[in-house]
Amino acid sequence: MEEPPSGPPPASASLEEIRLKGHIGHLTRSEEKALVEFKKICAEKGFYIPESETGPPSHDDGTLVRYLRARKFVPQDAFAQFKDTELWRKDNKLDALYEKIDIKDYQEARSVYPQWTGRRDKRGIPVYLYEVGKLDSKKMLAYTAATSKAKAKGPSPSRMLRLFALYENLTRFVMPLCSSVPGRPNPESPVDQSNNIVDISKVGLKQFWNLRSHMQDASQLATAHYPETLDRIFIIGAPAFFPTVWGWIKKWFDPITTSKIFILSHDQVKPTLSAFMDVSSIPKKYGGDLDFECGMMPSIDPAIRNCLSLKSPKLEELFLTGPTRWVDGDDGEMTALSVGSVDGKDHKEEVAILHSWATRVATGSSAFPLSKANSYVGVIPQARPESIGIYGQEVPVPVPQTAAEMQPAPAQPKVSSESEAVLPNGSVFKGEPVLENGQPIHQNGTPSKIEIPPPPMQRAETVYMTPASDPSELKQLR
């Protein structure tokens, strides 16, 4: 009987330079060459549309690199998996599924799979929690019965459709959000993985056996169609019989994924988790300060909350527990759309905004029209607002600590004329007179032009965008 891996990962595993190997912004020359070749193959076979004057590429570089990492940067091998996934997405109408899934069905599926805590580790990677002990036979029988009644619209069984939607939420909502929030290390690399705490305490052998197909579905789906979205799995509370079941559990994963699984003893839990995440982001039951258990609404960390404005406080639960995706706006802000269906009727609603100043700091502005045009016609915002409305109240805005912004700013902006002011961050306000404190006066609501200098935090020359959710983007596969 093969013993399962035990003990925490090496101390170096929590270092950014270790994790970033093979990621956007940190590719070697040979890996960059492999990415170019991979794109060429995908385009020639009709599975990829490069960026052009008519629009962005069909797939962002971060997604493509995940397939390359999964296949050791061998372009032909990566293409084989990429092709299978794209055809699988088309056959199961994955984009349309996420847009139309019943919101109650989605939330029910969320309750029986790993859930985002709303927190990130020290590297900006989202942290998920899976308390297997809460999946008792009664709950699983009810879930299985409900999914059995659903009609599958593709070759995959109906029970898998809701699981698909949860993975889509990871790539369309959680990862873009975590990528765009300022203050994280290495903003040149999009967040494209997750950390998972899997609690199997109080789980008996019979319960494990009954859950085997349920857990196997999730692991095999990720391996086949969402490669390299896993950074680490920390298994907590492993029972004495766990070595017995490890033999069939490890068959669900490929060798690379298996190497990312770490089984922690009771004494190893807090020290190991603390090496990867702040104590404030560790659930209380594992030695941290976070009041979170599976079944609760994600507890969004302050850095993320300070970047967001909800359209209404009543929409918070829908925003965090329903199918949601991001859309890049012409003003450089990211809008969260709640999608799905309610009582058989399509639902689409703006629920939150990730403010442009936050998005621009996180991405170096390269992905947004504001910086591409280097100017914007519209009502002039402040260089950085002192506060923004979040959940119906005003809160102070955190100041991102980039090297350029840590320099002391002059007390007053430079005023070169009655109609122009140069603010401390280098932005030039034109077309309107200004107050002594540098804030523009708007006359009759007339918009003004802002000329934005190159951002101080430059990101790598790559494309990063919210994954497409429009089914027409798969037209080339039909």
Side-chain angles (χ1 to χ4, degrees):
M1 178 176 62
E2 182 180 348
E3 289 293 322
S6 61
S12 61
S14 62
L15 300 177
E16 275 297 278
E17 55 266 30
I18 300 299
R19 186 188 75 83
L20 289 170
K21 289 183 177 179
H23 287 253
I24 293 297
H26 297 267
L27 301 179
T28 65
R29 288 187 177 181
S30 62
E31 290 169 346
E32 290 176 345
K33 183 178 180 180
L35 177 58
V36 172
E37 179 64 20
F38 181 39
K39 288 182 177 180
K40 181 180 178 181
I41 295 172
C42 292
E44 290 176 348
K45 301 293 184 179
F47 289 86
Y48 173 74
I49 300 176
E51 183 177 20
S52 66
E53 295 180 355
T54 59
S58 57
H59 301 77
D60 61 274
D61 285 5
T63 297
L64 298 178
V65 168
R66 285 198 289 106
Y67 285 86
L68 283 168
R69 286 203 308 269
R71 292 295 175 259
K72 299 180 179 180
F73 282 87
V74 178
Q76 288 289 354
D77 293 350
F79 172 71
Q81 183 175 10
F82 183 72
K83 174 185 176 182
D84 288 345
T85 295
E86 290 299 291
L87 293 175
W88 167 81
R89 292 183 66 87
K90 177 188 175 184
D91 291 343
N92 287 282
K93 300 179 175 62
L94 254 292
D95 289 325
L97 167 68
Y98 193 68
E99 294 290 307
K100 297 180 180 298
I101 187 171
D102 185 272
I103 293 177
K104 289 183 178 179
D105 289 347
Y106 176 90
Q107 293 173 329
E108 189 175 55
R110 177 180 172 273
S111 70
V112 297
Y113 285 106
Q115 299 172 21
W116 183 36
T117 63
R119 300 303 173 105
R120 301 168 294 157
D121 70 10
K122 295 176 181 178
R123 302 160 299 166
I125 300 174
V127 178
Y128 280 71
L129 175 62
Y130 194 22
E131 295 180 90
V132 181
K134 292 188 174 183
L135 306 181
D136 56 35
S137 58
K138 183 178 179 180
K139 184 171 187 175
M140 293 310 301
L141 283 173
Y143 178 76
T144 301
T147 55
S148 298
K149 294 178 182 178
K151 295 181 179 180
K153 297 181 180 180
S156 296
S158 58
R159 74 176 187 278
M160 298 291 285
L161 297 181
R162 300 182 188 182
L163 178 56
F164 298 163
L166 295 178
Y167 276 109
E168 292 295 289
N169 182 262
L170 170 66
T171 58
R172 297 190 190 193
F173 173 65
V174 178
M175 287 179 176
L177 173 58
C178 293
S179 295
S180 299
V181 174
R184 69 180 179 89
N186 302 101
E188 73 282 355
S189 298
V191 173
D192 59 2
Q193 294 180 310
S194 66
N195 265 326
N196 289 255
I197 300 172
V198 179
D199 187 344
I200 57 176
S201 60
K202 301 179 182 179
V203 179
L205 182 58
K206 181 179 179 180
Q207 185 178 5
F208 249 116
W209 181 254
N210 291 336
L211 290 171
R212 70 189 187 282
S213 61
H214 175 75
M215 294 187 289
Q216 185 177 9
D217 285 346
S219 57
Q220 291 185 339
L221 176 64
T223 299
H225 301 305
Y226 297 89
E228 282 293 302
T229 54
L230 174 68
D231 181 65
R232 294 284 185 275
I233 293 180
F234 299 109
I235 295 182
I236 294 174
F241 63 80
F242 190 73
T244 303
V245 301
W246 174 250
W248 44 268
I249 289 179
K250 70 185 181 77
K251 295 178 182 178
W252 303 343
F253 304 97
D254 58 37
I256 294 178
T257 303
T258 303
S259 70
K260 298 178 178 181
I261 299 175
F262 300 92
I263 302 174
L264 307 180
S265 67
H266 176 75
D267 293 337
Q268 293 170 336
V269 172
K270 185 175 180 180
T272 301
L273 296 183
S274 297
F276 283 84
M277 59 195 78
D278 294 331
V279 174
S280 60
S281 295
I282 300 173
K284 288 182 177 179
K285 65 188 303 182
Y286 310 121
D289 298 331
L290 179 63
D291 185 15
F292 180 86
E293 295 183 5
C294 281
M296 298 173 65
M297 191 163 63
S299 176
I300 300 299
D301 72 48
I304 295 180
R305 279 185 178 263
N306 288 346
C307 300
L308 289 168
S309 286
L310 282 177
K311 291 291 186 179
S312 166
K314 297 180 181 180
L315 295 173
E316 181 174 15
E317 182 175 0
L318 189 62
F319 171 59
L320 295 174
T321 66
T324 308
R325 60 179 173 84
W326 293 99
V327 176
D328 291 335
D330 292 336
D331 55 1
E333 295 188 329
M334 288 171 61
T335 298
L337 291 183
S338 170
V339 296
S341 62
V342 178
D343 297 328
K345 297 180 180 180
D346 290 349
H347 166 82
K348 185 177 292 185
E349 181 179 7
E350 293 186 21
V351 290
I353 292 177
L354 182 65
H355 291 282
S356 58
W357 64 267
T359 307
R360 286 172 52 209
V361 169
T363 64
S365 298
S366 65
F368 299 94
L370 178 62
S371 64
K372 288 182 177 179
N374 212 35
S375 65
Y376 168 69
V377 176
V379 176
I380 298 178
Q382 296 179 28
R384 179 180 291 110
E386 296 299 327
S387 65
I388 53 178
I390 299 177
Y391 298 93
Q393 58 184 333
E394 294 293 313
V395 299
V397 171
V399 179
Q401 294 296 300
T402 65
E405 291 178 323
M406 291 177 68
Q407 300 299 320
Q412 295 292 335
K414 173 185 176 183
V415 180
S416 57
S417 71
E418 187 181 12
S419 61
E420 179 178 311
V422 181
L423 294 185
N425 72 342
S427 298
V428 180
F429 286 168
K430 290 185 176 181
E432 302 268 359
V434 295
L435 297 176
E436 290 185 359
N437 63 2
Q439 296 187 18
I441 299 175
H442 302 284
Q443 298 177 348
N444 302 322
T446 303
S448 301
K449 184 177 182 181
I450 309 171
E451 295 183 358
I452 307 294
M457 184 186 295
Q458 295 289 344
R459 60 164 296 159
E461 289 298 325
T462 184
V463 174
Y464 175 65
M465 59 183 181
T466 304
S469 57
D470 184 354
S472 67
E473 300 230 27
L474 294 179
K475 186 187 302 182
Q476 68 273 23
L477 299 180
R478 297 173 180 168

